[in-house]
Amino acid sequence: MAPTLAEIRTRFRTSPQCKIVSADVYISRLTGRDQLVRADEPSANLLGLLDESTGTRILVPAEEFMRHHQCGSPATC
């Protein structure tokens, strides 16, 4: 039986190299000064950014990012 989306995401939530963040934090890091590279995780439907100097990866659920993008902010939806 294939793992569920929740099970796959749990692997990333519990990984010391990964951090699940809000869409606001993701966008802030995406547009910030740090040199980050895209590091999405399609199998878990997560958008990601990798800080190559530290090996740390931040991830946001794609559905949260899209909701934020469409509404402008979660508070207005």
Side-chain angles (χ1 to χ4, degrees):
M1 182 176 198
T4 65
L5 182 60
E7 291 169 336
I8 296 169
R9 285 184 175 178
T10 296
R11 286 188 285 203
F12 294 101
R13 280 192 179 88
T14 58
S15 170
Q17 301 100 319
C18 297
K19 183 176 181 182
I20 304 289
V21 299
S22 68
D24 285 329
V25 170
Y26 181 85
I27 291 168
S28 176
R29 295 291 308 274
L30 181 65
T31 58
R33 293 182 178 253
D34 295 333
Q35 289 195 333
L36 304 171
V37 294
R38 285 290 298 270
D40 297 345
E41 194 55 57
S43 66
N45 201 26
L46 296 168
L47 303 176
L49 297 171
L50 173 67
D51 183 333
E52 291 182 306
S53 65
T54 65
T56 303
R57 193 159 98 165
I58 63 166
L59 301 159
V60 64
E63 63 275 10
E64 180 181 335
F65 179 81
M66 293 305 294
R67 209 172 23 253
H68 183 279
H69 181 68
Q70 291 171 347
C71 299
S73 79
T76 62
C77 286

